[in-house]
Amino acid sequence: MGFDTFCSPDRSDPFWDWNRTWYTENPDFTQCFQNTVLVWLPCLYLWVCGPIYLIYLHSHNHGYICMSHLNKAKTAVGLLLWIICWSDVFYSFWERSHGSSVLAPVHLVSPTLLGLTMLLAALLVQYERMKGVRSSGVMLIYWLLALLCATVTFRSRILQVLDQVMSVWRYTTFYCYYTLLLVALFLSSLTDQPPLFSQAVKDPNPCPELGASFLSRISFWWITRIMVEGYKCPLEEKDLWSLNPEDCSQRVVPQLVHRWKAECQKVIRSEACYSSNATECKNAQAVESEILIVKTPLKTKEPSLFLALCLTFGPYFLVSCFYKIIQDILMFVGPEILRLLIDFVINSSAPTWHGYFYTALLFSCTSVQSLILQKYFHVCFVSGMRLRTAIIGAVYRKALVISSTARRTSTVGEMVNLMSVDAQRFMDLITYINMIWSAPLQVVLALYFLWQNLGPSVLAGVAVMVLMVPVNAVIAMKTKTYQVAQMKSKDTRIKLMNEMLNGIKVLKLYAWELAFKDKVSEIRESELRVLKKAAYLGAVSTFTWVCAPFLVALSTFTVYILINKNNVLDAQKAFVSLALFNILRFPLNMLPMVISSMVQASVSLRRLRVFLSHEELQEDSVEHQAAADIIILNMYVYACVSACLCVYRLNVCIPEGSLVAVVGHVGSGKSSLLSALLGEMDKLEGTVAVKGSVAYVPQQAWIQNSTLRDNIMFGQERREAWYQLVVEACALQPDLEILPAGDKTEIGEKGVNLSGGQKQRVSLARAVYCERAVYLLDDPLSAVDAHVGKHIFDQVIGPQGLLKDKTRVLVTNGFNYLPQVDLILVMSQGEVTEMGSYQQLMATEGAFSEFLRTYTAVDYTGNNGMAHYKLSQQNVIILFHCLFKSSIPGVRNLSKLSQPNKEGQNVRLKTENPEVGKLMEADKANVGRVQLSVFWAYLKAVGFFLSCISLLLFLTHHLLSLFSNYWLSLWTDDPVVNGTQPDRLMRLGVYSGLGLSQGVAVFGYSLSVSIGGILASRVLHQSMLYDILRSPMSFFERTPSGNLVNRFAKEMDTIDSVIPSIIKMFIGSMFNVLGACVVILIATPLVAIIIPFLGLLYFFVQRFYVASSRQLKRLESVSRSPIYSHFNETLLGTSVIRAFGEQARFIYESDRRVDHNQKAYYPGIVANRWLAVRLEFVGNCIVSFAALFAVIARESLSPGIMGLSISYALQLTASLTWLVRMSSDIETNIVAVERVKEYTDTEKEAEWKHKCPPIPPRWPTNGCIDIRGFGLRYRHDLDLAIRNMTIKINGGEKVGIVGRTGAGKSSLTLGLFRIIEGAEGHIFIDGVDIAQLGLHDLRSRITIIPQDPVLFSGSLRMNLDPFDNYDDDDVWRALELSHLKTFVSGLPDGLSHECSEGGENLSVGQRQLLCLARALLRKTKILVLDEATAAVDPETDKLIQSTIRSQFEDCTVLTIAHRLNTIMDYNRVLVLDRGEIAEFDTPSHLITKRGAFHSMAKDAGLV
């Protein structure tokens, strides 16, 4: 009653009047309600939100916006509104002083409150400008709310004007107020100019989201421009916007890394306190170093990665929880309005406007629900995107600091999976993680409303749900077990694939493709077996959860009608309950999916935590101090694992600026010494000190996939004169002259288009160019020709070289350089056994001098102090240099290497067109629609019969579902006789039978689709694996390995897990939509007028969306591969990157690639939201029209049919949105099949096996090679690299092949193994034309020992004999002959000893000896050697040569030699020049002839 006197002293104006507001044909609010609630509501909103908004603005400063016309207009409108409100107050005072009646307080209070609120609004507008807010949602909602409230009053005023006289002043001010509200709303929907110094101003293509208005943001209108562009023509990379600053790697990754480090520190501190319980915790810091050394037997606490993720991304993600709560509450408005509509149809006396009001309310609520839901999804997806960025960045950063011991436990495959699969798992989960609390909330709300509807009967439904929980808990536990097993298999498979791609040349040369294909297939089969078990569990899970809502409904209805025969199931109870059960269906269906995602994510979380917790390199293992002596090593021990030798008890002092040589046998610890100096090994005691910066040249050169210039400069600034000097000193000038784009020529992955010597020289040039104080050189001269080695030593390393003032530690097996070094360290079994200058060691008569005298005849000459040496006749080494170059034009045409550079000649002779030097083919995105052939390929892989069965089961399920709901509508329309329905038991029986039949159909289709998906996965994986292995070497040289790994990791994961579930949901949604449309049309035929129009709109929106979405997905896929390529490259060169201190640059590059990938991903997720908003609008229209036409036709409509129609219509919005999302997801994810099938049509090698004509089983028997007019070219558009070659090599002959770099030595070998097919002529082996043979028939009958020793992870035995063709005795004999028997028998597992990835736990020399053992095991009649002993010491070299001589005495041996002294006792020598035969005779005759061979022998100091 207080409000009545507040509005009018005589109480003539009540606050509320039902007869005036509701029970009337012309409703209106009372004047009191209008003057209080409708005025105060917007004011209350702004005064509640204002302080919170001010705090937010204070903490989020986006810059300062200058006063613009828009801002002036907003402020002016706000002040005018303030003036109008105050004028109303003054008018009230004036009226009170001049009028006779007492003025109601409301006329003073409401305008005063409104005036203050308008002043607050004007001030907020100015504060927003000062904080850089271009469009305000808070203010727009305020103006909208104020306008809606004023509109009700506006209508009322018009009605009052017609009926009674009003105050002209109040009438005028109100209409001015209303007009200004319209203007204010319009102005607040516009966007202001960017703030001063905004990043968006500098950015050439900024994200339009930053400048979008609030309305544009909530409706995602701001993406429309790129959608239009995508519809007109396929999107390209240049069309993509820059990432928002808060989504960039540089902002996101450091946050997670900081939180993770804090968690780790917390655990270390807690452990320190726990371990020192004898000491006070306050003293723990003092003894921390001691505590950390002690290993406690108790289980240590692990740092929480989950907590670190929550602290990093939680605050932003919490916004989604707010949206989700609102959406969950709005979800239950639909069933309530349905109840009111059924009431309206039953109650014929209800005013007609009630029906229209309910329809309008339904449309408004569903529209607001749609906008909020899409905003919720947007926040979730952005959180997921940031999470993925952070995980990739954290893994990359960790990989750069992980210790060598930990590296062996985390393979490249596992790390790539952490970046691709595991990061994706988190992205998938974060979209639905809120369902963990939202699903129970929805279930509780649904049960509350059901209780209101059906009473205690609903407890039966609760009991069914409770029974479902343990069943699904068991399923979740089993799924987790399978998930772990599957990920383990996936890691192993990707690791093996990675190794195969890295060592593909060896696989082809040894004809091992099938053996490794079987290994991969075996791992894949175990992976698919686990997937199949998971599919069975998934089918059971789907069965229980799809049946759950029906079983809940059935049990509730059964109990309801059986507990009391007077309980009648009418339309209102049945269909409101059914609508609630349908709401219940979503959380119950989502829970298993969320639990499954959580299970998968928990596995990924554990894997990530384990990796990020790995031991890091000791930062203090090497001290960088300004000591007089540059390197000091005092009594320290480095521990290594497994077969790696340990370095013990070193005590060495190296003076600044000296040249130190480190020599010793294979495996004596020479490379380990350098690793110790770099801090790459675990130091247990002692100190290592290095003064100044370090440069490192590894034994196996690490080359980046970049231009030659970038490889040399390695991120340093360009210094032209110094660059020229370095290039010439490292003997790279002639190479630059022949490269198609000079130093701008692109070098392939791992330097595939450079020879071993060129790679080593580039690696050395990189170190020299960077100008460091200390140079650690790990045998850089082993892969180069003798005369090139001499040139490099003289010009770079030696006393007169570019590095003469630097400290150089040179590991070498070449003794001819030793007289010129300042200090020699002789190593044996990890210890320095002798130390001193060359003269001192020779004088001491120790092991070193004895060794030199035994194996070398040193002729010390006065030629620059250089010691030339000749090996004794018994110590001639058979060497070979196999130069595997790519198809770059002109690479083969160099005749001489170390010619002096011409005056003024520029190293970049051919850089006018850098495109000429391009080698690698970037992953290209297809354009346009996905071809039907791709869908057909997937369908064929699934199997036609299984596809038909699945479709039939889907159809059966949905027909049964439709009929059961129709049956329910008939049931509710049954007449009530004596307070009950006579046929209720029969109705119940049929209803339950239909439901159980649905369950069987659901189980059937779930199983058939999952099994079909597994069959397709198997077929597609096998065909891709076969297609890639059948590709020629040129394919691998130009295709980045990251592209291929991406196919086997991410794309196969999509085919395994994503596509089957999307197909399931797509078909389900399609039948749901069709069923709903049929029911609505039957119930309200008038809807047929509107459905075709809305259907066309839906179709247009869908096609408009898919055009852009599909292309964005392709661009995202394409930009993903470079992330993995760069990561692989980084892992191979971590020691070099760390030595040069270039971690920050590589981290920046990785971040740049991730951001580039997210640039394509972000528009994709926004496009999804854009689509959903528009489609849900179409769905909301269908719902509203179904309700509207039901209201119009209420006289002729039964409540049962109306309830059925609207309950289906309420489902339609979700089904329609889901259908389009699934249809676009099918098209975007089927791109995975398209990319997997991509390599089917690429160029292939010749057949591996030819059935006819059959070759003799022991061919070749003599080893006779007859080359007739042979020529080959690297590409059809290039000149011949070898031409007019006609020679005959008799069986058992030993032939050396020599020539300057580019003379065609390697090309001949490539032709012999048919790595490159001949362009003309023939090669006959024992009379058989090799071109007529299958590649495996040829390659398995001849043997090569390649220059780069490649091993694969697996047992030693597998590396020697992958086909298991030989017994253990043969293997041990081969090891004995290759001088590895002692080493292998000393290993704990012997032949079963596991080689790590790339054989990293063996020294390079040991790997080379294993390659020799392979050759001894195969024992073919033809043996080709490629510098096979470059990485071993002379003593081992001598043993190897004697082995080759004795074991291959009757074999034909071809040796491509860098060092001519190794072939001086051969039968004949073939000298090549520019791809043609220059000379071919015995070595003695060639020297007598004084031709090209004599010139080379003279360069090498042999004549």
Side-chain angles (χ1 to χ4, degrees), residues 470-488:
V471 175
N472 281 279
V474 171
I475 290 172
M477 293 301 290
K478 289 297 290 177
T479 307
K480 180 170 183 175
T481 312
Y482 293 149
Q483 182 68 28
V484 173
Q486 190 206 342
M487 287 308 293
K488 193 175 178 184

Side-chain angles (χ1 to χ4, degrees), residues 529-570:
R529 278 196 294 275
V530 174
L531 269 176
K532 194 176 283 185
K533 288 176 187 172
Y536 294 142
L537 275 181
V540 174
S541 183
T542 308
F543 169 75
T544 54
W545 290 108
V546 169
C547 289
F550 174 79
L551 289 173
V552 170
L554 179 65
S555 57
T556 307
F557 289 157
T558 304
V559 171
Y560 180 72
I561 64 167
L562 291 182
I563 56 171
N564 189 342
K565 66 176 184 177
N566 291 326
N567 281 351
V568 174
L569 197 68
D570 58 20

Side-chain angles (χ1 to χ4, degrees), residues 588-624:
L588 293 183
N589 280 347
M590 285 303 295
L591 263 180
M593 184 174 154
V594 173
I595 290 166
S596 167
S597 281
M598 284 186 74
V599 165
Q600 292 178 354
S602 68
V603 173
S604 295
L605 188 73
R606 188 181 61 78
R607 284 156 51 84
L608 263 171
R609 181 182 54 71
V610 168
F611 176 73
L612 293 176
S613 305
H614 273 328
E615 184 187 1
E616 295 182 5
L617 288 168
Q618 300 168 354
E619 287 183 13
D620 60 344
S621 61
V622 177
E623 297 172 20
H624 290 272

Side-chain angles (χ1 to χ4, degrees), residues 408 639-648 666-669 672 681 829-830 1351 1356 1380 1382-1390 1392-1396 1399-1404 1406-1407 1410:
R408 293 189 188 97
C640 284
V641 176
S642 188
C644 267
L645 286 170
C646 306
V647 183
Y648 302 100
V666 170
S668 60
S672 298
M681 296 175 74
Q829 297 183 351
L1351 296 188
L1356 277 174
L1380 278 172
T1382 310
F1383 166 71
V1384 175
S1385 56
L1387 295 170
D1389 299 324
S1392 302
H1393 173 73
E1394 282 292 313
C1395 295
S1396 65
E1400 284 185 0
N1401 54 347
L1402 299 175
S1403 74
V1404 177
Q1406 287 166 334
R1407 282 180 246 166
L1410 274 174

Side-chain angles (χ1 to χ4, degrees), residues 966 1076-1087 1186 1189-1190 1193 1196-1198 1200-1206:
Y966 180 66
C1077 287
V1078 167
V1079 169
I1080 293 166
L1081 284 169
I1082 291 169
T1084 49
L1086 279 171
V1087 179
F1189 290 131
S1196 59
L1197 209 60
S1198 78
I1201 291 294
M1202 186 198 179
L1204 180 69
S1205 168
I1206 294 176

